[in-house]
Amino acid sequence: MSGLRLLPWPGPNGQRCYLSTDAEEGGYLARLTDDMEEAQLATAEEVLAHAVELLRSPGATPPGELRFRVRRLSEALRDALRVAESRGGRIA
């Protein structure tokens, strides 16, 4: 496979970053990208589990904690969507 692979992290100004996979498919940056994607998906699973737990006892959570959880959920969803887009773009 060759082409551009969407990286799981944004550039300095939030722009999309791509890795050219033409030269070295199993190279260092490709492996680093794979590892980062796996870490992001694992984090998303953890954040989701905390959110589900939080929803089971909605009255016991202070508003600041809710905002923090929503922020983390937003970050995890953004990362998971980026991973999905990147992986979907690489399906032959």
Side-chain angles (χ1 to χ4, degrees):
M1 177 175 24
S2 65
L4 296 178
R5 177 180 179 178
L6 178 64
L7 293 175
W9 55 81
N13 297 318
Q15 77 275 21
R16 292 169 163 248
C17 293
Y18 294 90
L19 173 65
S20 174
T21 58
D22 289 340
E24 195 175 353
E25 182 65 27
Y28 173 77
L29 286 177
R31 289 191 311 272
L32 178 65
T33 299
D34 291 339
D35 292 345
M36 176 62 88
E37 287 179 349
E38 290 304 317
Q40 287 173 325
L41 293 176
T43 298
E45 287 179 354
E46 290 177 25
V47 171
L48 178 59
H50 288 294
V52 168
E53 182 182 317
L54 184 78
L55 290 172
R56 290 191 180 125
S57 57
T61 308
E65 178 71 12
L66 287 173
R67 282 192 297 278
F68 174 77
R69 298 291 177 156
V70 169
R71 192 175 313 119
R72 294 292 295 145
L73 278 169
S74 297
E75 293 166 357
L77 179 58
R78 181 198 62 229
D79 290 344
L81 289 172
R82 187 186 317 245
V83 169
E85 181 181 352
S86 177
R87 290 181 179 184
R90 291 181 281 142
I91 295 175

